[in-house]
Amino acid sequence: MLPSVALVGRPNVGKSTLFNKLTRSRDALVADVPGLTRDRRYGRMELEEQSATLIDTGGLFGEHVLAEALTGQTELAVNEADLVLLLLDGREGVTAADEDVVTYLRKANVKFLPVINKIDGLPEDQVALDFDRFGFPEYVLISASHSRGLKQLREVLEQHLADLDLPEEPADLLHGSGIRVAVVGRPNVGKSTLVNRLIGEERQVVFDMPGTTKDAIDIPFTKDDVDYVLIDTAGVRRKGKVSEITEKFSVVKALDAMQRAHVVVLVIDASEGLVEQDLHVLEYALDAGAGMVIAVNKWDGLPVEQREKVKKALDRRLNFVPWVPLEMISALHGTGVGVLLKKVQKIHEVGQFEVSTSMLTRLLRNLVASHPAPSVRGRPIKVKVATRAGSHPPRVVIHGNQLSSLPASYKKFLENGFREALNLVGNPIRLDLRDSENPFAGKPNQLTQQQLDRRKRMVKFRKKSKN
């Protein structure tokens, strides 16, 4: 299970800026306005040797008109988190709100790491002196907007996360023979109805009320001699709507389900189409490396003339992932559910990625021949060999020279080329670019005796011409 880290602090100390830096995204809206972040936002943070779920929050306490609601959302995030990053403003120094936040975290008995932000242009010893009153055993000084101190923060974070005593996933869930399928989506789109239809029994409670499912439920079953483990998750609802204490872990559980799934089935309501929350779930599933299929549920309830409009709208909004298949289904009546399960099996099968090095290298050379890599400073980027590095998701290691300078557009071209040639439907592809080592790097150039004699003659000639 991925550890979760919550970013907390009073409003406008730079939590969203740090969230974007640590997740290497622009998901969080950033502006010099207190209270801009209203709900909890979840992202994936990649460190050197492990990953974590990062939770951005509004402000704790403060004088904003929404202070009570923001504090409630932040308290839920603190309860979810394995580690809390307490963000403080080094430019403004200690405020009464900071003291309230520190008191709250200490009373809550949660593990937290103080991070002092906005130190650019300030002497570090003076900044640290102002916060010594809290008696923190350790803290990290950063400037999130200028990426100063972020490397040290990542190292300290990795050390703290390694020290956490997290429960391990059962071996049968992580390494079982069944295809792990996570069924995710917003509340009340028909996830549990779909699960019941797939396994052929009323295993999950179904009721026309959002939030009926409260936890991620693992259900092993066999269909047509194929073993599956279905993971029915709680609805990933808009964070501002999460109020019950029993729901506070629903988002983290859903994200964890996507992390350990081979294939994610994103269920959406045909009448509502694809909304922003669906796109967030889709992006997180792709970051987790799971195969993906979108099940458009309640399709039979749409009038015939409206179906074409919905199809066009879905194609337009999903143009950034044209390889994710759409399946029109009715979980209640069973229409299209059999086809959906076959599609899941196909996505899992191709996600195994059993491809030889010779075939990958041949495909790579064909791609480069059709569209050569650009040059950097007058020298061509050489793309040489491709090897298989792993499955679920398919991973390809590409060896060559100057690959670190390869443009993102060309990487996307290679990804799409591999996916199309190998028919990797529904699967993201990870490319690992590795530059060839220069065998003469760091070694002095040893001149032969003939070269040394010639050098002496050249030096002698230059001295004569000057005189």
Side-chain angles (χ1 to χ4, degrees), residues 183-195 205-214 232-238 241 247 250 266-273 275 277-278 295-299 329 331-332:
V183 182
V184 301
R186 291 176 293 114
N188 212 30
V189 293
K191 298 185 299 299
S192 295
T193 305
L194 176 59
V195 168
V205 176
V206 178
F207 191 68
D208 189 17
M209 180 184 74
T212 306
T213 303
K214 297 293 186 184
D232 184 18
T233 64
V236 185
R237 61 172 58 198
R238 190 163 59 86
K241 298 294 184 183
E247 291 186 55
S250 64
L266 172 59
V267 184
I268 66 173
D269 191 322
S271 60
E272 297 179 9
V275 300
Q277 190 65 20
D278 295 326
V296 186
N297 193 24
K298 307 178 185 179
W299 185 251
I329 68 167
L332 185 62

Side-chain angles (χ1 to χ4, degrees), residues 111-253:
K111 184 174 182 179
F112 68 92
L113 172 67
V115 180
I116 303 173
N117 190 25
K118 304 183 183 180
I119 64 165
D120 40 296
L122 299 174
E124 293 188 3
D125 53 348
Q126 181 181 334
V127 173
L129 187 63
D130 195 21
F131 291 91
D132 280 348
R133 69 181 74 180
F134 291 121
F136 295 138
E138 68 171 329
Y139 50 80
V140 181
L141 298 170
I142 69 166
S143 173
S145 59
H146 296 90
S147 300
R148 178 180 171 188
L150 294 188
K151 182 179 179 181
Q152 181 193 358
L153 175 59
R154 289 176 183 275
E155 292 172 353
V156 174
L157 260 175
E158 188 142 41
Q159 183 180 353
H160 277 271
L161 292 177
D163 293 339
L164 292 176
D165 186 18
L166 297 176
E168 294 185 3
E169 293 291 346
D172 59 335
L173 293 183
L174 288 175
H175 306 291
S177 58
I179 302 174
R180 296 189 298 275
V181 184
V183 182
V184 301
R186 291 176 293 114
N188 212 30
V189 293
K191 298 185 299 299
S192 295
T193 305
L194 176 59
V195 168
N196 289 340
R197 177 63 63 178
L198 287 170
I199 63 178
E201 62 177 277
E202 294 295 317
R203 178 70 179 266
Q204 296 297 85
V205 176
V206 178
F207 191 68
D208 189 17
M209 180 184 74
T212 306
T213 303
K214 297 293 186 184
D215 202 353
I217 311 296
D218 288 22
I219 308 167
F221 77 104
T222 301
K223 188 87 168 180
D224 298 332
D225 297 326
V226 180
D227 294 329
Y228 299 88
V229 177
L230 275 179
I231 312 171
D232 184 18
T233 64
V236 185
R237 61 172 58 198
R238 190 163 59 86
K239 285 75 170 185
K241 298 294 184 183
V242 177
S243 56
E244 295 182 33
I245 291 298
T246 53
E247 291 186 55
K248 67 186 179 183
F249 293 106
S250 64
V251 177
V252 169
K253 287 286 187 180

Side-chain angles (χ1 to χ4, degrees), residues 274-464:
L274 200 71
V275 300
E276 290 300 320
Q277 190 65 20
D278 295 326
L279 290 173
H280 286 310
V281 176
L282 173 63
E283 288 171 2
Y284 198 95
L286 297 178
D287 287 343
M292 194 81 193
V293 58
I294 298 176
V296 186
N297 193 24
K298 307 178 185 179
W299 185 251
D300 56 339
L302 287 184
V304 177
E305 60 274 8
Q306 191 180 348
R307 293 183 181 182
E308 193 60 32
K309 293 181 181 178
V310 173
K311 280 185 179 179
K312 287 182 179 178
L314 289 173
D315 290 340
R316 177 176 53 82
R317 300 207 70 187
L318 293 169
N319 62 354
F320 68 102
V321 280
W323 45 269
V324 175
L326 290 174
E327 292 297 332
M328 313 305 178
I329 68 167
S330 171
L332 185 62
H333 301 106
T335 308
V337 173
V339 177
L340 175 65
L341 203 55
K342 289 180 180 177
K343 184 68 73 175
V344 167
Q345 190 176 344
K346 175 67 175 176
I347 292 172
H348 175 265
E349 181 184 338
V350 298
Q352 298 278 20
F353 201 49
E354 300 293 342
V355 186
S356 65
T357 297
S358 59
M359 177 179 284
L360 284 176
T361 301
R362 188 164 59 250
L363 287 175
L364 177 65
R365 289 174 179 171
N366 290 340
L367 290 171
V368 173
S370 66
H371 184 184
S375 299
V376 178
R377 295 182 294 275
R379 296 178 58 198
I381 297 176
K382 294 182 180 179
V383 186
K384 299 178 179 177
V385 180
T387 59
R388 176 188 180 275
S391 58
H392 299 299
R395 296 177 183 273
V396 179
V397 176
I398 296 178
H399 300 268
N401 292 340
Q402 300 191 92
L403 295 184
S404 56
S405 302
L406 207 61
S409 58
Y410 199 81
K411 294 178 192 175
K412 185 65 68 177
F413 163 73
L414 293 178
E415 288 177 12
N416 293 336
F418 280 122
R419 185 182 293 110
E420 184 178 351
L422 299 171
N423 194 26
L424 298 175
V425 58
N427 279 276
I429 295 180
R430 299 285 188 265
L431 295 184
D432 184 6
L433 306 179
R434 297 185 185 176
D435 283 322
S436 301
E437 293 185 6
N438 183 357
F440 301 103
K443 295 182 180 179
N445 186 14
Q446 298 291 337
L447 300 179
T448 64
Q449 187 60 45
Q450 185 179 2
Q451 289 172 323
L452 290 172
D453 292 341
R454 184 180 178 187
R455 185 178 177 184
K456 286 180 183 178
R457 288 196 300 270
M458 289 295 296
V459 171
K460 209 171 187 181
F461 175 77
R462 285 191 177 183
K463 283 181 178 179
K464 271 187 182 181

